[in-house]
Amino acid sequence: MSQHIYVGVDWHKRTSTWVAINENREQIYARTWNCTPQDVHAALSSLPAVPGDITLGIEPVCGWRWMTELCIQRGVGDVQVANPKRLREIAQSAQKTDKRDALTIAELLRMGYLPQAYRAPDPVQKLRILVRQRAFFVRLSTSTKCRIHGVCTALGAHHTTEHPLHVAGRAEVAGRGHEELQDLYITMDELAAHVTRIERKIAVQTTEDPIYRILTSVPGVGPVTASAIMAEVGDFARFASPEALIGYAGIYPKERSSAGKQQFGGISKTGSRTLRYSIVEAAMRVRDTGTSHNLYTHYEAARDKRSKTPKQSRVVLAHKMLTIMWHLVKRQVQYDDRAVKPAQREMTSKGRSGA
C-alpha cells in the first residue's frame, strides 16, 4: 500500500533540492536534481510514492510555473506554490541550506501551514507577460530619449530652435550626421514599434472583457492602466474586501502601534509593484472636471491636512479609486461620479494657503 508523502522543493535557476517526509515526519527522501523537464520527470519517478499520493510544495522562483504544470500533468495529487514573503521559517533561518529549506517546505505542507501564493490562470498570466513586457520597452524608450537629450546638450544642440524629439528638431539635429544620435533615433523608433505591437496584442485580450469596460469608466483610467490592473489583480473576487486589494497594491501605511500609541510610516510597498504604480499614476490624472468632481474632492480633502504633501494626497486618492473599483466589479456596474460620496474638507482653500 502506497504511503502519502510531503515533498518540499527548493528550486533555483540550475539545480533543485527535493526532500520528502511521511506522515510521521520521517525524512524518507533527499536528492538534488538539475532544473530540466527530464530531471523533473526523473525526480517524480524516483519518489517513494505514486503521484496521486504526493503533496508537493515549491517556492515561486524562476521556472516554477512550467515545473508545477509538469507535476500536475504527471498526476501529482496536490501542488502548492508557497508565498515567499510569508515564508518566514526559511527567510529567518539561522542555518540556511537548500536541504533545510526544502525540508521546511515539506514540514509546513504536512501541517497544513504552508502560506500559498496566488497562481494566476493562464489567460491572466499571458496578459501579465504582455503588460510587463510593454513596461520594460517603455522604460528603455524613456532612457533612450533622455540619452538623446544628453548627447544634444553635450553637442550644444540645446541652442537649436526645435525640440530634438519633435519631427523638425530631429531632422535638424540628425542633419549634422552624428552617428551616436542616428543610432539612438533608430533605437527609439524600434522601441516605439515594439510598444505599439504589444498594445495591439493587449487590446485583443482585454477590450471585450466586461471588467475592462468597468475599469475604463473610472476617471484617470485609460486602456493601458486598465489592462495593467486586470493583469495584476486577476480575479477581483479573491480579495474579500477593498482593504485586501489595497494591501495587495502595497499602498497601506506601515504601522508600528503598541501600548496604546499609534505610529504610522510610509506605504508598505508590498504586493504588486505594477498595480501600485498603475493606480497611483491613474490618481495623478484625476482632475476637477464636471464628471469627476466628487472623486477629486478626496484629493482636496487630503491636501487640507497640513501633513499631506501632493504625493501623499494622490496615494489617498489611489486608496479611494481601488475601493471604488472593487465595488464596481463586484456589482458589475460602471462608474458614476454622482454615486461617489464627496469627501469632507477640514479646511477651506483660503485657510490652507494662509497656513
mmCIF file of all heavy atoms in Angstrom, residues 41 68-76:
data_model
loop_
_atom_site.group_PDB
_atom_site.id
_atom_site.type_symbol
_atom_site.label_atom_id
_atom_site.label_comp_id
_atom_site.label_asym_id
_atom_site.label_seq_id
_atom_site.Cartn_x
_atom_site.Cartn_y
_atom_site.Cartn_z
ATOM 1 N N HIS A 41 10.932 14.858 -14.403
ATOM 2 C CA HIS A 41 10.305 13.550 -14.609
ATOM 3 C C HIS A 41 11.028 12.471 -13.815
ATOM 4 O O HIS A 41 10.395 11.621 -13.168
ATOM 5 C CB HIS A 41 10.310 13.188 -16.099
ATOM 6 C CG HIS A 41 9.224 13.836 -16.896
ATOM 7 N ND1 HIS A 41 7.888 13.550 -16.701
ATOM 8 C CD2 HIS A 41 9.272 14.753 -17.896
ATOM 9 C CE1 HIS A 41 7.157 14.257 -17.537
ATOM 10 N NE2 HIS A 41 7.971 15.000 -18.279
ATOM 11 N N THR A 68 5.655 23.224 -12.137
ATOM 12 C CA THR A 68 4.426 22.789 -11.463
ATOM 13 C C THR A 68 3.415 22.257 -12.477
ATOM 14 O O THR A 68 2.672 21.305 -12.171
ATOM 15 C CB THR A 68 3.803 23.947 -10.669
ATOM 16 O OG1 THR A 68 3.610 25.083 -11.531
ATOM 17 C CG2 THR A 68 4.712 24.357 -9.516
ATOM 18 N N GLU A 69 3.359 22.845 -13.680
ATOM 19 C CA GLU A 69 2.462 22.328 -14.707
ATOM 20 C C GLU A 69 2.850 20.908 -15.094
ATOM 21 O O GLU A 69 1.979 20.048 -15.319
ATOM 22 C CB GLU A 69 2.490 23.244 -15.935
ATOM 23 C CG GLU A 69 1.819 24.602 -15.702
ATOM 24 C CD GLU A 69 1.992 25.546 -16.867
ATOM 25 O OE1 GLU A 69 2.753 25.198 -17.796
ATOM 26 O OE2 GLU A 69 1.370 26.624 -16.855
ATOM 27 N N LEU A 70 4.149 20.640 -15.148
ATOM 28 C CA LEU A 70 4.615 19.302 -15.471
ATOM 29 C C LEU A 70 4.217 18.317 -14.366
ATOM 30 O O LEU A 70 3.797 17.192 -14.652
ATOM 31 C CB LEU A 70 6.137 19.318 -15.665
ATOM 32 C CG LEU A 70 6.798 18.097 -16.312
ATOM 33 C CD1 LEU A 70 8.081 18.520 -17.010
ATOM 34 C CD2 LEU A 70 7.088 17.005 -15.310
ATOM 35 N N CYS A 71 4.329 18.747 -13.108
ATOM 36 C CA CYS A 71 3.939 17.885 -11.983
ATOM 37 C C CYS A 71 2.446 17.569 -12.028
ATOM 38 O O CYS A 71 2.026 16.431 -11.754
ATOM 39 C CB CYS A 71 4.298 18.550 -10.653
ATOM 40 S SG CYS A 71 6.073 18.672 -10.328
ATOM 41 N N ILE A 72 1.648 18.580 -12.359
ATOM 42 C CA ILE A 72 0.201 18.376 -12.453
ATOM 43 C C ILE A 72 -0.126 17.396 -13.578
ATOM 44 O O ILE A 72 -0.974 16.504 -13.432
ATOM 45 C CB ILE A 72 -0.514 19.722 -12.666
ATOM 46 C CG1 ILE A 72 -0.363 20.602 -11.413
ATOM 47 C CG2 ILE A 72 -1.993 19.512 -12.982
ATOM 48 C CD1 ILE A 72 -0.860 22.023 -11.600
ATOM 49 N N GLN A 73 0.588 17.526 -14.712
ATOM 50 C CA GLN A 73 0.377 16.615 -15.829
ATOM 51 C C GLN A 73 0.740 15.178 -15.463
ATOM 52 O O GLN A 73 0.113 14.233 -15.952
ATOM 53 C CB GLN A 73 1.204 17.073 -17.040
ATOM 54 C CG GLN A 73 0.741 18.383 -17.656
ATOM 55 C CD GLN A 73 1.706 18.911 -18.699
ATOM 56 O OE1 GLN A 73 2.689 18.248 -19.062
ATOM 57 N NE2 GLN A 73 1.450 20.117 -19.184
ATOM 58 N N ARG A 74 1.731 15.034 -14.586
ATOM 59 C CA ARG A 74 2.125 13.697 -14.148
ATOM 60 C C ARG A 74 1.161 13.104 -13.122
ATOM 61 O O ARG A 74 1.306 11.959 -12.724
ATOM 62 C CB ARG A 74 3.541 13.741 -13.561
ATOM 63 C CG ARG A 74 4.653 13.776 -14.589
ATOM 64 C CD ARG A 74 4.807 12.439 -15.308
ATOM 65 N NE ARG A 74 5.104 11.360 -14.376
ATOM 66 C CZ ARG A 74 6.334 10.970 -14.018
ATOM 67 N NH1 ARG A 74 7.390 11.591 -14.543
ATOM 68 N NH2 ARG A 74 6.515 9.991 -13.171
ATOM 69 N N GLY A 75 0.197 13.889 -12.671
ATOM 70 C CA GLY A 75 -0.814 13.360 -11.766
ATOM 71 C C GLY A 75 -0.529 13.565 -10.291
ATOM 72 O O GLY A 75 -1.146 12.892 -9.447
ATOM 73 N N VAL A 76 0.392 14.483 -9.948
ATOM 74 C CA VAL A 76 0.665 14.768 -8.538
ATOM 75 C C VAL A 76 -0.623 15.257 -7.882
ATOM 76 O O VAL A 76 -1.296 16.166 -8.391
ATOM 77 C CB VAL A 76 1.786 15.809 -8.386
ATOM 78 C CG1 VAL A 76 1.973 16.196 -6.922
ATOM 79 C CG2 VAL A 76 3.091 15.262 -8.960
#
